[in-house]
Amino acid sequence: MGASLSKEIDKLREKKVTELELIDKGIDDLPNNIGTIETLKKLNLSKNNLKRLPPAIGNLKNLTLLNLFNNSLRELPHEITQLVNLESMNLSINKLKALPRGFGSFNHLFFLDVSYNSITELTTQIGLISTLKELHISFNELTELPVELSRCSELEVINASHNKILELPSEFSKLPKLKLLNITGNKLSFIPPDYGQLTKIEKIDFSKNPDIHKSLDQHAIRGPEVLIKYLKSDEYQSIYYSETKKPRPSGLTSSTENTTIPQNTTTTTTTTSKPEEEESSVPYH
């Protein structure tokens, strides 16, 4: 399809098109002259067989949407970072192992999806994307998330499910607009107590983390408000700093609220969670 696609692109350039959809066309190589359609604002190449992108992709300076969902990309050219007007980029279901250097150059990007790849490390430069609102990085090979993400003050959604994350940065508690944090299917044992300060949080999903502390599970079942209150409690802070061996901040203020699990007042025995209560906790997708 290469030669015919190249001719079609020449025609589209003359027409000064702003949108181009080439979905499920069996494309395995994108012609270099794609970069000549400088009027393009939206480019959808999803469900093809692309293994690479030509460096000329960086010439599409007016592009606001780039959809490369479900291809076979193993790497991205550095020139993709020249698309400074991008607002939405979907790179999910590919074979990427890393994001290119300079990936923090996007001045308007608010949606980024790199789920279902083989990324082992998320570049720290992502913290330079101050406009980012949604980050989807599920089903990769990440063992940690960069502290620099805490600089993305517009972030509302972090979906990092099904990775190999061992620990969350306490600095994420500084994200003023974070609403949804999905970290299901990882290797976490604790949630930093600082996350109790996330004023806008609506859901923290840490289900399917087999090593998570039981007290967190017991409180999460009762809803996000109960969980957040527990994270701020003296009880949890004592458990967290004792078992993680982390130094307790000297300026940490104590909470006098009783945040233990409500018990039946007619009995003095402590009850455990019932299986049906466990099932009522529905993970965020």
Side-chain angles (χ1 to χ4, degrees):
M1 189 179 178
S4 60
L5 180 56
S6 181
K7 291 179 180 179
E8 182 64 23
I9 287 175
D10 285 337
K11 294 177 182 178
L12 294 172
R13 182 188 67 242
E14 294 174 5
K15 293 179 180 179
K16 297 183 178 181
V17 297
T18 58
E19 299 185 17
L20 177 57
E21 290 197 352
L22 295 170
I23 304 170
D24 199 10
K25 300 292 185 182
I27 302 171
D28 53 19
D29 191 26
L30 195 62
N32 283 323
N33 63 342
I34 187 67
T36 63
I37 314 178
E38 297 180 359
T39 53
L40 264 187
K41 290 187 176 182
K42 297 182 179 180
L43 177 59
N44 190 340
L45 295 164
S46 59
K47 298 182 180 179
N48 282 292
N49 302 314
L50 290 169
K51 295 180 176 60
R52 59 176 289 276
L53 293 176
I57 196 83
N59 294 333
L60 304 177
K61 298 295 193 297
N62 291 310
L63 210 60
T64 61
L65 182 148
L66 178 60
N67 190 346
L68 293 161
F69 162 80
N70 200 355
N71 276 277
S72 299
L73 295 169
R74 295 184 178 276
E75 62 180 1
L76 299 172
H78 169 68
E79 287 80 3
I80 201 171
T81 64
Q82 297 172 12
L83 304 178
V84 294
N85 286 308
L86 270 185
E87 297 176 359
S88 176
M89 179 160 43
N90 190 340
L91 299 166
S92 62
I93 311 185
N94 277 281
K95 298 179 180 180
L96 299 172
K97 293 185 178 181
L99 298 175
R101 58 187 175 85
F103 202 77
S105 62
F106 305 105
N107 299 322
H108 303 282
L109 193 69
F110 67 83
F111 178 90
L112 175 61
D113 191 345
V114 292
S115 301
Y116 292 90
N117 278 281
S118 301
I119 298 173
T120 57
E121 184 177 2
L122 195 61
T123 173
T124 59
Q125 292 176 332
I126 201 167
L128 298 174
I129 309 176
S130 60
T131 53
L132 195 61
K133 289 187 177 182
E134 289 193 31
L135 175 62
H136 299 270
I137 49 177
S138 60
F139 291 92
N140 277 285
E141 300 293 327
L142 297 169
T143 57
E144 62 181 1
L145 296 177
V147 172
E148 287 77 6
L149 261 180
S150 61
R151 299 175 184 172
C152 300
S153 58
E154 297 296 316
L155 258 180
E156 297 179 3
V157 174
I158 299 177
N159 184 353
S161 69
H162 299 282
N163 279 278
K164 299 176 181 179
I165 299 170
L166 298 167
E167 188 176 2
L168 293 172
S170 60
E171 288 83 356
F172 283 9
S173 63
K174 300 174 183 178
L175 292 168
K177 298 183 179 181
L178 190 63
K179 295 180 180 179
L180 297 168
L181 176 60
N182 187 354
I183 42 177
T184 184
N186 279 281
K187 297 184 177 182
L188 297 171
S189 298
F190 289 96
I191 306 296
D194 312 62
Y195 283 33
Q197 308 303 322
L198 289 167
T199 58
K200 299 292 184 180
I201 199 73
E202 297 174 2
K203 180 74 173 180
I204 301 178
D205 186 353
F206 49 76
S207 58
K208 299 181 181 179
N209 279 264
D211 298 325
I212 201 74
H213 197 272
K214 289 182 178 179
S215 67
L216 286 169
D217 259 342
Q218 292 169 349
H219 285 81
I221 286 172
R222 288 156 175 78
E225 291 184 3
V226 173
L227 174 62
I228 293 300
K229 187 179 289 187
Y230 180 61
L231 290 176
K232 293 190 289 187
S233 71
D234 287 342
E235 177 187 344
Y236 181 64
Q237 289 172 8
S238 296
I239 293 172
Y240 177 83
Y241 291 111
S242 172
E243 297 200 19
T244 63
K245 309 301 182 184
K246 293 180 180 295
R248 187 165 182 149
S250 57
L252 192 65
T253 57
S254 297
S255 168
T256 57
E257 295 179 283
N258 184 0
T259 60
T260 55
I261 304 170
Q263 298 182 15
N264 189 328
T265 55
T266 62
T267 180
T268 58
T269 59
T270 302
T271 58
T272 57
S273 302
K274 297 178 181 178
E276 55 266 28
E277 291 178 319
E278 293 283 332
E279 293 173 1
S280 67
S281 178
V282 181
Y284 166 70
H285 296 285

